């Protein structure tokens, strides 16, 4: 039996950033990606890229950083 995963919207007039990063191996070739959505769950912007060699934790931190940089531009 699979897990039920649910997305919870942000409060009105806010956006939510969902982001993740990973690497092949630990350390290895890494990448990140994410999406920004409004309180209705509507897409605002997405982002993704390869990022070179790093470990899993650093890849996740880069994903958060890039998500915040995208959010500042909006």
């Amino acid at each position: 039996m699979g897990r039920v995963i649910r997305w919870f919207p942000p409060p009105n007039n806010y956006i939510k950033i969902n982001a993740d990063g990973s690497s092949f191996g630990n350390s290895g070739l890494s990448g990140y990606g994410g999406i920004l959505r409004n309180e209705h769950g509507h897409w605002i912007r997405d982002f993704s890229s390869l990022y070179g060699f790093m470990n899993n934790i650093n890849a996740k931190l880069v994903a958060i950083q890039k998500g915040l940089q995208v959010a500042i531009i909006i």
Side-chain angles (χ1 to χ4, degrees):
M1 183 117 200
R3 281 190 318 177
V4 175
I5 298 174
R6 183 162 186 246
W7 183 82
F8 295 96
N12 289 339
N13 300 315
Y14 282 81
I15 61 172
K16 184 175 241 185
I17 304 168
N18 294 105
D20 197 12
S22 64
S23 66
F24 293 105
N26 206 17
S27 292
L29 183 60
S30 64
Y32 61 86
I35 185 170
L36 285 71
R37 293 185 277 191
N38 66 14
E39 67 270 17
H40 304 292
H42 297 148
W43 173 90
I44 297 172
R45 184 146 182 213
D46 55 55
F47 58 96
S48 64
S49 183
L50 294 176
Y51 201 72
F53 285 82
M54 64 178 62
N55 64 35
N56 288 327
I57 298 298
N58 285 338
K60 291 177 186 303
L61 291 171
V62 168
I64 294 167
Q65 177 187 31
K66 296 298 181 180
L68 291 171
Q69 288 172 345
V70 169
I72 289 171
I73 295 169
I74 295 176

